[in-house]
Amino acid sequence: ILRTEERQRLARERREEREKQHAAKESQILEKERKAKIQYEKQLEERQRKLKEQKQKEEQRRAAVEEKRKQKIEEEKERYEAVMHRTLERNQRLETRQKRWSWGGSVTPDSESKAALLHTASKRSTSTANLKQSEAAMNKRLSSSAALLNASDRTRRSQLSPLDSSVISRLLAPTQASLARSKSAATLSAD
């Protein structure tokens, strides 16, 4: 009986020891899981914080670039307006100078336009008369030179063979064209 009780007591102690060890292992496992969860949450928070900071930096950089671009556009606009203002002032000064140094001193716009119309009308009438005179003189010269060419051409052609005369007439064609060109050039120079 004593041996049996001893065996049962030892078996009970071993069982209790195993249960204690098992409970300790479970508590260690739970502690490890808890620590791992805490670590994971910390890492997640850190990652989110870094992403947020990066996003803020990116937005600040974008805002700075946009501000710089707006400032540059504003400077260019101011520069353009200053150039336009200077150009307008220069044009006004030139206009006042031209009015000051016109033929009749400071002339009113109505009298200025009338004088300009009279001047152009007189120029046109004289140029038309000159043109008619030069055209008549040119026509006389051209007709006399053409008559000379035709007369000398006929005498020569009568002495030449048909092939030679066709070659010569082809060679003479540009000369007549150049005479026509000189006539048109003379009329243009008279204009």
Side-chain angles (χ1 to χ4, degrees):
I1 294 169
L2 284 171
R3 283 181 189 171
T4 321
E5 284 177 5
E6 186 69 23
R7 282 182 199 156
Q8 285 175 354
R9 188 179 60 76
L10 286 172
R12 194 175 29 233
E13 284 177 3
R14 281 196 295 264
R15 194 170 47 245
E16 284 174 3
E17 189 65 32
R18 276 198 303 266
E19 284 174 1
K20 280 180 186 176
Q21 287 176 355
H22 187 67
K25 278 183 182 178
E26 280 185 5
S27 66
Q28 283 177 357
I29 289 169
L30 287 172
E31 185 66 24
K32 279 183 183 178
E33 284 178 357
R34 190 180 65 78
K35 284 181 180 177
K37 192 177 180 183
I38 289 169
Q39 184 71 21
Y40 175 74
E41 286 174 357
K42 279 183 181 177
Q43 285 177 350
L44 196 64
E45 285 175 6
E46 186 70 20
R47 198 177 298 150
Q48 286 176 347
R49 187 180 62 77
K50 282 182 180 177
L51 283 170
K52 197 173 183 181
E53 284 177 3
Q54 192 176 354
K55 196 174 181 182
Q56 283 177 348
K57 283 180 183 177
E58 187 69 26
E59 284 175 1
Q60 286 174 353
R61 191 185 62 79
R62 255 192 236 128
V65 167
E66 185 66 25
E67 186 65 32
K68 198 178 269 187
R69 190 181 67 82
K70 282 180 182 177
Q71 191 175 359
K72 196 173 182 181
I73 288 171
E74 192 65 32
E75 286 173 2
E76 286 178 3
K77 188 179 176 185
E78 287 173 4
R79 200 178 304 130
Y80 176 74
E81 285 175 357
V83 168
M84 289 299 291
H85 185 68
R86 283 197 301 269
T87 307
L88 286 172
E89 283 181 353
R90 199 178 302 134
N91 286 345
Q92 286 174 351
R93 271 188 257 132
L94 284 171
E95 283 176 11
T96 53
R97 268 192 219 148
Q98 286 173 354
K99 284 179 183 175
R100 206 179 303 144
W101 297 106
S102 62
W103 286 100
S106 60
V107 183
T108 60
D110 290 338
S111 61
E112 195 176 301
S113 62
K114 285 176 186 173
L117 283 172
L118 287 171
H119 186 64
T120 54
S122 64
K123 265 188 177 178
R124 282 185 186 161
S125 61
T126 55
S127 66
T128 308
N130 289 342
L131 177 64
K132 285 178 181 174
Q133 289 173 359
S134 64
E135 193 175 332
M138 187 60 72
N139 281 336
K140 283 179 186 176
R141 283 185 200 156
L142 284 173
S143 60
S144 63
S145 62
L148 284 172
L149 277 172
N150 286 336
S152 63
D153 198 27
R154 282 182 199 133
T155 56
R156 283 185 193 147
R157 280 187 191 165
S158 62
Q159 296 167 359
L160 296 172
S161 68
L163 180 64
D164 291 339
S165 64
S166 68
V167 170
I168 289 172
S169 64
R170 264 196 231 140
L171 288 171
L172 286 173
T175 309
Q176 291 168 356
S178 66
L179 287 172
R181 275 197 301 276
S182 65
K183 178 184 175 185
S184 64
T187 55
L188 285 173
S189 64
D191 279 346

